[in-house]
Amino acid sequence: MDPPVPHYPISDRKRRHQKPRVLQSCTSCREKKLKCNRALPCMNCKKRKLGQFCRYVKARPEHPEQAVLHRDNRSSAPWPSECNTESGTRFVNSGHWQTIMKDATKQLENQNIADHSSGEEYLQAGPHGPVLLSGLSRNVDMSDLVASLPTRQIADKLVFRCLESDEPALMFIHPPTFQCEYRKFWQSPCAVSPAWLALLYGVLSCGAWIENTMNPVMVKSELPDLFHDLRENCAVSIAKSDLTAPGYYKVEAALMYMGIEYLGSNNSKTGVSILLGIISRLAIMMGYHRSTQLYHPPLRPFEVEMRRRCWLLLSVTDSIVALQSGLPRVIYQGLGDLTRPRNLLYEDLDPAMSILPPSRPETETPSRIMYMLALDDMLSVAYEITDITSKGAITPERTICLDQELKATRDRLPGALRMPLRTKAPEAQSDITIMQHTLEMIYQRSRCILHRQYLVSPQPTNIYRTFRWACVDAARCVLEYQCELFQDVLRSPGNRQRVWFGASRSVSDCLTVAMVLCLDMINESKAAQPFSESTRTEFIQLLHKTYLSLKDTPRPSVEVAKAAERVATMLYQMGHAVTEGELRCSEPAAAGASQLPNSQLADHTAAPEEGASFPYTTFEDFLNGDSPLELFDWGLWDWEVQQFNSPLVENI
């Protein structure tokens, strides 16, 4: 049987009959809207020292309707065995925001509401993938790497910035020990090993990132060339150290490099996931996952404790990257028998100690180790829920058991790390407030994913309605905590200069629950008993407030800007586009708008007038053929959205 001829709105005819254009600018210049001189590499890529990533698309692909017919006429081999050998496939589990957004978009398409974006640009690896995976040569002399270091004055400043940041993810570096090694290094630079030099370059790169992030003048600009140079030299040093053989500082240097790649990336962290697999294998090969009692001669107590911290960081990062990228974890549950690190401060540790002191009590002020242990507990349950729900629908009984397990994990958290009943914590404990918000958002996101299958349940029983509302309520809580975190906590005087590596994870959680809330409102609009007008207005206002908090956050980045655009996209599709005033609002105005009462905030949620165009240049560029979104395959879009709990597998 011939495939049905797709129907397209009359408004699309003009664009369909336009002659396909040849894409003559490189992909990086097109993404950044820069004038390209069309060389290989182009002048812009050379200036940014990204010449090795300069790429061109030969021709614009066929029109959307032709792509649909082309895919419909292909063989009917089951997915994913049918794949394009030139482009491959991509898997994203059902708990990822990309899959949820496409569920929502499918519902909008059924209501004849056209969509103008794919989110594809968010998943593209782009020209900023991990440098280590780009085929760097190891034929570089150590003398050249040492000579490429910044001056001692600059290096001292960057090292201080990194080691004094109080960021929990840097717990695997003991500042007093590193400072001692750092001073010895400058006495004889050429005697250093490639692995330790890689660790130094990683610390310097982290310091450059912090310096740029904490500078109110530079925070909205792109990362400086110094950061990219230090990151590349870190990768070259790691490659020269040979990760296929055990050695001192190799795991620590690789962890530091993975961290700066995570901070410097604006995509879905798939490159970081691949790096994590390599580093995990190296750590396993060196026995970081096993009890240290097996080693002969035995390791020093200080070294034992630092190895435990490295493995804890690997576990936490594995869970975070898995949830952000939509890929499975690299380290499977139950691997190894290593004892968890003790709750000790840096002053409690010394390389010469013969025995480790006991852990500090949990009643004390939360330390970085205490927070990372709590984060590992919450993320482990969160990933377990995501993994189980991505395999298909689960029974109500299983849902209740997982919900109880999730609540029990939160109840076991140290009291100081639990979210207080009051809305704002004392300013003196502003660093603890960020920890509390992070853990509570992970808990609520997990509740949302656990109950998501009941959003479209055909069974109108009380328990199904309870589960559905639990999902919606959890999504609402995450968005409220996100707004409070970005607009209040990070703007407080005690946090303006505080380093925070968790923005990317927080934005990913925000996108996930925002798409769930949009999907639920779309489904409810077709239900026999839809939401009350007040409830729907409340949700729309919350989405607008989320958009404002992302758009005018005190910690702006490309990733945050893309998230704000994605929220605005769904609001536009549901007929509640952001206003021109919101798009032009300044940072103080946005902060004020987020605190408006409901009656005033409702002014921002008006539906667009008939014939009004969406003010985002993304959609204008899309319609005019000047956006990377024009490469999106609409046939694949329609094919991918299958059963509600199906994962997302796509050609890329």
Side-chain angles (χ1 to χ4, degrees):
M1 173 183 283
D2 294 334
V5 178
H7 171 72
Y8 297 95
I10 297 178
S11 60
D12 290 343
R13 289 181 180 174
K14 180 178 178 181
R15 182 162 58 92
R16 292 205 319 269
H17 295 298
Q18 290 177 352
K19 182 179 179 180
R21 300 186 319 172
V22 177
L23 307 181
Q24 296 179 335
S25 299
C26 75
T27 55
S28 179
C29 288
R30 287 175 59 78
E31 180 183 354
K32 300 182 180 300
K33 300 187 182 300
L34 300 176
K35 185 176 181 181
C36 182
N37 67 349
R38 301 172 184 175
L40 187 62
C42 73
M43 187 62 65
N44 291 325
C45 290
K46 282 184 177 179
K47 289 181 180 179
R48 298 169 57 80
K49 298 186 179 181
L50 297 172
Q52 57 183 322
F53 301 111
C54 189
R55 298 288 185 272
Y56 288 84
V57 179
K58 291 185 178 180
R60 182 177 177 177
E62 55 198 353
H63 287 299
E65 60 267 38
Q66 295 171 334
V68 173
L69 293 176
H70 171 68
R71 290 197 176 272
D72 285 344
N73 288 327
R74 296 195 311 183
S75 61
S76 58
W79 189 273
S81 62
E82 177 188 9
C83 65
N84 189 324
T85 57
E86 296 181 357
S87 61
T89 61
R90 177 180 174 82
F91 169 87
V92 179
N93 65 41
S94 64
H96 193 264
W97 70 263
Q98 175 86 5
T99 309
I100 303 173
M101 178 182 176
K102 292 193 174 184
D103 287 338
T105 307
K106 181 65 175 178
Q107 300 297 328
L108 289 171
E109 289 177 353
N110 292 338
Q111 300 179 31
N112 295 323
I113 302 177
D115 174 38
H116 298 289
S117 76
S118 64
E120 190 74 6
E121 81 286 355
Y122 198 92
L123 289 176
Q124 293 289 347
H128 301 289
V131 180
L132 186 63
L133 303 180
S134 63
L136 291 174
S137 173
R138 292 185 298 174
N139 298 325
V140 180
D141 293 336
M142 285 294 296
S143 58
D144 294 334
L145 288 172
V146 173
S148 299
L149 286 167
T151 64
R152 178 70 184 271
Q153 182 179 4
I154 297 177
D156 289 349
K157 181 180 180 180
L158 296 180
V159 169
F160 176 81
R161 270 292 198 182
C162 177
L163 298 184
E164 300 298 321
S165 63
D166 288 332
E167 167 57 39
L170 297 176
M171 62 176 179
F172 66 99
I173 297 179
H174 188 238
T177 302
F178 183 86
Q179 288 280 15
C180 180
E181 296 170 343
Y182 177 72
R183 289 189 293 268
K184 291 180 180 179
F185 161 75
W186 286 109
Q187 297 173 4
S188 181
C190 294
V192 70
S193 66
W196 193 91
L197 186 60
L199 178 61
L200 174 59
Y201 266 118
V203 171
L204 294 174
S205 302
C206 182
W209 184 89
I210 294 173
E211 186 74 17
N212 183 81
T213 305
M214 295 296 102
N215 189 334
V217 178
M218 301 294 296
V219 66
K220 293 188 177 181
S221 62
E222 297 179 358
L223 289 170
D225 292 338
L226 176 62
F227 170 82
H228 297 293
D229 293 341
L230 295 171
R231 180 186 66 157
E232 183 172 344
N233 287 336
C234 180
V236 173
S237 301
I238 289 177
K240 194 171 182 63
S241 70
D242 186 10
L243 294 182
T244 63
Y248 284 110
Y249 303 114
K250 288 188 178 182
V251 172
E252 291 77 8
L255 281 173
M256 198 72 217
Y257 172 70
M258 179 181 64
I260 63 176
E261 287 289 1
Y262 179 91
L263 294 174
S265 66
N266 294 314
N267 50 54
S268 60
K269 315 300 183 187
T270 52
V272 180
S273 179
I274 296 173
L275 275 179
L276 196 143
I278 297 174
I279 299 171
S280 298
R281 286 298 175 186
L282 172 64
I284 292 172
M285 178 179 63
M286 294 182 63
Y288 275 63
H289 66 306
R290 296 303 304 272
S291 172
T292 55
Q293 297 176 355
L294 303 175
Y295 292 90
H296 298 283
L299 300 174
R300 295 176 300 161
F302 173 80
E303 187 176 356
V304 169
E305 182 65 16
M306 300 311 294
R307 287 166 67 101
R308 292 171 179 171
R309 296 186 176 198
C310 288
W311 188 255
L312 174 62
L313 179 62
L314 268 175
S315 176
V316 170
T317 306
D318 193 12
S319 297
I320 292 176
V321 172
L323 294 176
Q324 284 192 245
S325 64
L327 298 174
R329 278 189 51 143
V330 175
I331 303 174
Y332 60 85
Q333 191 172 8
L335 175 64
D337 57 354
L338 185 67
T339 305
R340 305 183 83 184
R342 299 184 183 185
N343 180 28
L344 298 173
L345 304 180
Y346 288 141
E347 53 265 30
D348 298 331
L349 297 173
D350 186 275
M353 63 174 40
S354 58
I355 187 172
L356 286 174
S359 293
R360 289 175 175 263
E362 293 183 350
T363 54
E364 293 186 4
T365 301
S367 64
R368 292 193 279 186
I369 293 297
M370 184 189 301
Y371 168 70
M372 292 297 288
L373 290 170
L375 191 60
D376 187 46
D377 291 337
M378 288 301 305
L379 287 171
S380 297
V381 181
Y383 177 77
E384 179 186 2
I385 289 174
T386 301
D387 184 54
I388 292 174
T389 55
S390 66
K391 295 176 182 178
I394 58 177
T395 64
E397 292 75 17
R398 180 63 170 151
T399 301
I400 294 175
C401 289
L402 289 173
D403 187 53
Q404 292 175 346
E405 180 182 353
L406 181 63
K407 291 180 180 178
T409 302
R410 186 181 64 163
D411 292 341
R412 287 194 298 268
L413 295 177
L417 292 177
R418 297 177 195 169
M419 197 69 180
L421 296 178
R422 57 181 181 272
T423 57
K424 295 183 180 180
E427 189 172 306
Q429 298 180 344
S430 53
D431 54 337
I432 302 177
T433 306
I434 296 179
M435 299 179 183
Q436 294 169 342
H437 277 72
T438 299
L439 294 170
E440 185 65 19
M441 288 175 67
I442 293 174
Y443 167 75
Q444 297 294 349
R445 180 196 182 277
S446 302
R447 283 184 63 218
C448 182
I449 296 301
L450 175 60
H451 298 92
R452 187 172 73 89
Q453 70 180 50
Y454 301 99
L455 289 183
V456 292
S457 172
Q459 303 184 33
T461 61
N462 289 335
I463 189 170
Y464 275 67
R465 283 193 291 265
T466 301
F467 287 163
R468 178 194 146 278
W469 183 250
C471 176
V472 175
D473 179 65
R476 178 187 58 80
C477 289
V478 172
L479 293 183
E480 288 180 347
Y481 289 136
Q482 172 79 11
C483 293
E484 182 179 333
L485 186 61
F486 273 48
Q487 289 298 326
D488 297 331
V489 177
L490 294 180
R491 290 186 186 277
S492 66
N495 282 327
R496 288 173 185 170
Q497 294 297 317
R498 185 170 299 281
V499 179
W500 184 42
F501 290 178
S504 178
R505 180 211 51 77
S506 177
V507 168
S508 177
D509 290 349
C510 174
L511 273 178
T512 298
V513 299
M515 295 309 145
V516 167
L517 205 59
C518 292
L519 177 61
D520 188 61
M521 284 189 289
I522 294 167
N523 291 328
E524 277 296 311
S525 65
K526 302 182 297 182
Q529 295 181 345
F531 279 139
S532 65
E533 189 61 29
S534 60
T535 302
R536 181 177 179 84
T537 301
E538 177 187 353
F539 289 163
I540 292 294
Q541 290 174 359
L542 182 57
L543 288 171
H544 274 261
K545 186 177 179 180
T546 301
Y547 162 77
L548 291 174
S549 70
L550 291 171
K551 183 177 181 297
D552 294 295
T553 175
R555 306 290 178 91
S557 67
V558 175
E559 194 169 16
V560 174
K562 286 182 177 181
E565 182 176 335
R566 188 59 48 213
V567 175
T569 298
M570 295 307 297
L571 284 168
Y572 170 72
Q573 291 175 352
M574 294 188 299
H576 296 274
V578 294
T579 64
E580 291 286 353
E582 287 174 315
L583 292 172
R584 295 193 301 266
C585 64
S586 62
E587 183 173 302
S594 65
Q595 303 297 328
L596 290 175
N598 291 343
S599 59
Q600 299 181 37
L601 189 59
D603 295 337
H604 294 283
T605 64
E609 298 179 2
E610 185 177 357
S613 61
F614 187 54
Y616 262 113
T617 55
T618 300
F619 296 99
E620 294 176 0
D621 291 346
F622 176 82
L623 296 175
N624 295 327
D626 293 329
S627 168
L629 297 181
E630 65 188 356
L631 306 179
F632 183 64
D633 191 328
W634 293 93
L636 184 57
W637 171 292
D638 184 68
W639 193 93
E640 284 165 349
V641 185
Q642 301 175 11
Q643 300 298 323
F644 185 81
N645 278 318
S646 296
L648 174 65
V649 185
E650 62 183 354
N651 282 346
I652 55 174

